[in-house]
Amino acid sequence: MTVRILRAADRATVPWKNGGGTVREIAAGPEGAGTDAFDWRVSLADVTADGPFSAFPGVDRVLTVIEGAGMDLVVGGEHHIVDEPLWPHGFPGDLPTEGFLLGGPVVNLNVMYRRARTRAETAVVCGTVRLLPPEGGAVLAVSLDDGTELEGGHDVRLDRYDAVLATGECPGVLRTMGRAVLVTLSEV
């Protein structure tokens, strides 16, 4: 298994064009791909104001509120109340979308993937889980608390918002002291 440790402290914070928040990219495939060329992209967004989401034609999105009261997402004119913390909510990224904060700022974990090339499954896990990347794919685990450990030849401690990106055949074991978000990425 190939493992990359992605430390939260190493991420650049980039302001949104509309001024409603900031984003910190965790990982993208292919590595270094811009917003027009990624197959998949996972990031943390600090949302501080109501406003429109950027449109991404051909992209599906999964938003998981990890801090704050949540949002009312208006996707293609339909309201989706996303107020359950740690509950992944999928929606098409090519429909007009606006977000309205329900009770102050939130931090969202965002997964975006081009539906014609990639499939992404997002789950919030607790306890011990094996990292089993699909053939030709990857698994990204983002620790939501301090003290998560990666075992299996790559013994590493992960703190809050640190991540591990695993590819290949040999499984590793993730042991959380709290919760982590697990994103399994595979080719279509």
Side-chain angles (χ1 to χ4, degrees):
M1 175 167 63
T2 302
V3 172
R4 287 184 44 220
I5 304 302
L6 307 166
R7 297 287 181 193
D10 296 336
R11 295 183 195 125
T13 300
V14 179
W16 293 355
K17 291 178 186 176
N18 70 6
T22 59
V23 67
R24 294 164 280 162
E25 182 177 289
I26 297 170
E31 186 177 349
T35 57
D36 294 333
F38 66 82
D39 289 342
W40 59 268
R41 180 177 186 240
V42 179
S43 61
L44 288 168
D46 296 285
V47 185
T48 57
D50 300 341
F53 280 42
S54 298
F56 287 94
V59 171
D60 283 332
R61 299 178 73 157
V62 179
L63 181 145
T64 305
V65 175
I66 57 175
E67 288 183 38
M71 302 180 76
D72 175 7
L73 288 181
V74 182
V75 182
E78 292 183 17
H79 289 268
H80 301 261
I81 303 299
V82 184
D83 62 350
E84 182 75 29
L86 307 177
W87 190 266
H89 181 81
F91 62 99
D94 33 20
L95 291 179
T97 302
E98 289 186 272
F100 299 94
L101 298 170
L102 296 177
V106 298
V107 177
N108 297 324
L109 185 118
N110 290 302
V111 177
M112 297 191 295
Y113 59 99
R114 294 201 192 280
R115 68 180 72 97
R117 298 194 299 243
T118 304
R119 190 176 84 217
E121 296 176 15
T122 303
V124 176
V125 298
C126 180
T128 300
V129 64
R130 290 199 180 280
L131 300 182
L132 298 169
E135 185 176 332
V139 173
L140 178 72
V142 181
S143 178
L144 299 182
D145 303 287
D146 289 342
T148 297
E149 295 178 356
L150 176 65
E151 300 173 356
H154 305 280
D155 295 346
V156 175
R157 178 187 160 97
L158 301 175
D159 289 324
R160 188 173 192 210
Y161 299 153
D162 286 346
V164 58
L165 179 62
T167 58
E169 297 177 9
C170 299
V173 175
L174 190 73
R175 295 187 193 283
T176 68
M177 296 302 289
R179 292 190 171 99
V181 177
L182 196 67
V183 183
T184 303
L185 302 147
S186 57
E187 298 174 352
V188 173

